[in-house]
Amino acid sequence: MIGTVTLVGAGPGGRELLTLAGAAAIRQADAVVYDRLVDGDILCLLPPGAVRVDAGKQAGNHPMPQDEINATLVRLAKQGKNTVRLKGGDCYLFGRGGEECEHLRANGVPFRVIPGVTSALAAPAFAGIPVTHRDYCSSVHFITAHARAGQTPSIDYAALVRLDGTLVFLMGLGALEQVTQGLLDAGIDPAMPAAVIENGARGSQRKVVDTVRGLAAQVRAAGLGSPALIVVGRVCGLSDALDWFTPLPLHGKTVVVTRPRERAGTLSARLRTLGANVVEAPCIETVENEDTALLRAALGHSYDWAVFTSPAGVHAAVHALGRLGRDLRALYGMKLAAIGRGTADALAAYGLTADLVPAQYDGAHLADALVEQLPPDGAVLLLRARQGTRVLPEKLLAAGMVVADVPLYDTVYRCDRADELRALLARRAVDCVTFTSASTVEGFVRAAGDAPLDGFTALCIGAQTEKAAKDHLMHTITAKNATIDAMLARLLEEYGNV
Ligand code: SAH
């Protein structure tokens, strides 16, 4: 059957400004064709097996020609793939979405369109500029300053000046001097406020606000680059007064999040809310063990405690029991221990209450807490990663206990964005890297390759993680307890914003 092509507007940057409908379409896509301006954090939502076509970077770094994009969309749909065509901002605002839909229609390919938050509205909003305001204007106009190859843009500056509304120019940075000169020649007040916003609505946003007369020189002096838009109008004068974005405590800080994809969301979202420029680069993955023989054998004995040391372990246990035709009732009669709050929450999602969570969330403290609770011949079932810390079973065995250590999953070192990460590290463009386990440190170090590890602060969730980071000579700061709240508190303290 022929697939459907869904045009999705990805919004101006990170995942927060992607629509719910857009996210749902991406999560279900068999294939995606995406543009240069689409953020890697959004591509992370794709199912693992989805076909990815980068239309922004083809051989020799040239973008894919439009007719090739059109042909690719038709080909993927005719292979039966539900295909997402992912575009920066909104799909129809200077996004060639209309041309693509015409081509799909001509070829009998069904399509739908999920609009996105356009940069033309989002960037001004993040720069303190309301595009309309009753005291200053009654219209807003979107203009492209880019012409088709071989043509010069034919902008009717006189008409624009006469309309006296807010003007938003896209694709205009290269032609900034022509645009401001065109407006001046058409009689605009030279003192009219105007702005250029680079990387709008992203953690890395920069802006220059001046007058139409002075703007170009200021922007060139500040060295602003693409993507950027030009905003002209009296509303630009509100930019400082209504700036809510740059005062955020982590504004201007680039923070890398290394934890596995399925767990990264909350930490990233909270960092972004605090104003950070977040780079989500998961450095480890969990792969569940298909082989259930050890679990089956272990369940032939009885235990006083079942012990979970990660949320992934809880999910893996449910899945492994399912493969044996059983469910969590197989643990009936055992008490449940969780290494920390996240793991206890994962149990709670299955309706189970952890009987024990140590005061400090690590293997050593968990072992001590169990030893306190159990007689010397107590029996403990560990349901965890093959690469789990040795400290836990060793302490239990030393106290005379019977231990069954069942590996339910493997922690695999893998980073899809290793190239990007290396480039950022080499440019010393990273302020902080967050580590939520010793294994994320190991995965990050492998992903970083030859890149320097001394230009940033390693924010660690606890002592074992800190030790792993210190072993690689990183500069570390560590949360007071092993929670995301405590990590963020420590980071704010570091940057002087308690
Ligand atoms: N469809 C997109 C625009 C595509 S044209 C949208 O709705 O946003 C590409 C132009 O959009 C760039 O040249 C730049 O002018 C603008 N642009 C896209 N993302 C931007 C961002 N984050 N900040 C500032 N301008 C951006």
Side-chain angles (χ1 to χ4, degrees):
M1 219 177 73
I2 193 164
T4 297
V5 174
T6 307
L7 272 72
V8 175
R15 201 183 290 169
E16 281 72 23
L17 292 175
L18 173 69
T19 66
L20 292 174
I26 296 166
R27 285 202 173 95
Q28 288 157 21
D30 302 315
V32 65
V33 180
Y34 59 96
D35 280 347
R36 193 172 48 86
L37 286 176
V38 173
D39 202 285
D41 293 351
I42 288 177
L43 296 175
C44 284
L45 296 174
L46 281 166
V51 175
R52 294 164 175 236
V53 180
D54 182 350
K57 196 170 67 181
Q58 286 293 295
N61 255 347
H62 288 300
M64 197 186 246
Q66 188 61 47
D67 52 359
E68 209 175 312
I69 294 176
N70 294 347
T72 304
L73 292 174
V74 170
R75 179 170 48 79
L76 289 167
K78 292 210 162 153
Q79 287 168 0
K81 294 191 167 60
N82 285 320
T83 302
V84 163
R85 172 72 177 113
L86 198 52
K87 295 166 165 295
D90 177 67
C91 354
Y92 275 170
L93 191 75
F94 304 130
R96 302 186 183 178
E99 294 167 42
E100 290 172 12
C101 290
E102 283 176 326
H103 188 81
L104 292 169
R105 183 167 182 275
N107 283 275
V109 174
F111 63 89
R112 42 184 207 136
V113 180
I114 299 175
V117 175
T118 177
S119 64
L121 295 173
F126 274 68
I129 302 172
V131 288
T132 72
H133 185 301
R134 286 193 300 169
D135 292 345
Y136 304 107
C137 63
S138 56
S139 65
V140 54
H141 311 274
F142 303 119
I143 305 123
T144 171
H146 182 78
R148 284 193 159 200
Q151 298 171 15
T152 42
S154 54
I155 300 174
D156 186 346
Y157 289 106
L160 291 178
V161 172
R162 205 174 323 115
L163 285 163
D164 201 29
T166 304
L167 308 176
V168 182
F169 293 90
L170 292 93
M171 296 180 275
L173 192 64
L176 177 60
E177 285 76 6
Q178 288 94 304
V179 169
T180 48
Q181 195 55 50
L183 292 168
L184 290 167
D185 291 347
I188 199 168
D189 176 359
M192 177 68 82
V196 167
I197 307 159
E198 174 202 85
N199 276 318
R202 300 179 183 172
S204 51
Q205 171 176 302
R206 294 198 294 164
K207 69 175 178 184
V208 166
V209 186
D210 207 276
T211 59
V212 171
R213 184 180 34 212
L215 186 67
Q218 293 298 328
V219 167
R220 298 305 178 211
L224 294 196
S226 286
L229 38 85
I230 309 168
V231 188
V232 177
R234 279 180 284 277
V235 286
C236 293
L238 295 168
S239 178
D240 283 340
L242 299 188
D243 181 5
W244 55 273
F245 187 53
T246 50
L248 291 177
L250 297 183
H251 178 79
K253 305 287 181 218
T254 296
V255 182
V256 175
V257 173
T258 57
R259 68 189 326 199
R261 186 161 302 156
E262 59 282 4
R263 308 264 313 143
T266 359
L267 177 57
S268 303
R270 293 192 55 192
L271 286 164
R272 286 204 184 95
T273 307
L274 292 166
N277 178 32
V278 177
V279 180
E280 236 178 62
C283 291
I284 59 170
E285 275 178 22
T286 55
V287 178
E288 289 188 11
N289 192 350
E290 295 285 327
D291 182 1
T292 45
L294 278 174
L295 179 63
R296 185 200 298 272
L299 290 176
H301 305 273
S302 65
Y303 303 91
D304 301 294
W305 286 86
V307 176
F308 296 92
T309 61
S310 68
V314 175
H315 302 305
V318 171
H319 299 152
L321 287 168
R323 277 185 221 112
L324 290 174
R326 305 189 63 177
D327 59 32
L328 283 168
R329 285 174 296 175
L331 308 182
Y332 180 74
M334 301 179 204
K335 290 197 161 189
L336 302 177
I339 199 165
R341 198 187 298 163
T343 306
D345 287 348
L347 284 169
Y350 293 105
L352 300 175
T353 308
D355 301 291
L356 182 144
V357 181
Q360 284 220 39
Y361 302 163
D362 63 40
H365 288 85
L366 178 58
D368 292 344
L370 283 166
V371 169
E372 247 176 56
Q373 300 257 343
L374 273 169
D377 59 350
V380 178
L381 174 63
L382 304 180
L383 298 168
R384 59 184 197 145
R386 195 188 309 275
Q387 296 76 9
T389 170
R390 297 303 312 154
V391 174
L392 178 57
E394 275 164 13
K395 279 200 160 208
L396 296 173
L397 289 168
M401 295 183 185
V402 179
V403 178
D405 192 358
V406 179
L408 291 180
Y409 65 94
D410 285 278
T411 303
V412 184
Y413 302 118
R414 206 179 107 100
C415 176
D416 286 344
R417 301 178 75 183
D419 290 348
E420 263 172 89
L421 206 53
R422 277 182 210 154
L424 284 172
L425 290 170
R427 280 196 285 123
R428 312 242 171 213
V430 175
D431 296 286
C432 173
V433 183
T434 62
F435 294 114
T436 49
S437 64
S439 53
T440 59
V441 175
E442 192 53 41
F444 173 80
V445 169
R446 290 176 190 222
D450 295 338
L453 298 179
D454 57 354
F456 58 84
T457 298
L459 171 60
C460 303
I461 195 163
Q464 284 176 11
T465 309
E466 178 187 320
K467 181 176 177 309
K470 282 218 160 87
D471 285 348
H472 292 285
L473 305 179
M474 293 181 203
H475 165 65
T476 61
I477 55 174
T478 303
K480 285 207 176 62
N481 59 52
T483 60
I484 298 299
D485 282 340
M487 286 180 82
L488 293 170
R490 184 65 190 87
L491 191 58
L492 291 177
E493 198 185 310
E494 180 73 3
Y495 292 126
N497 293 296
V498 201

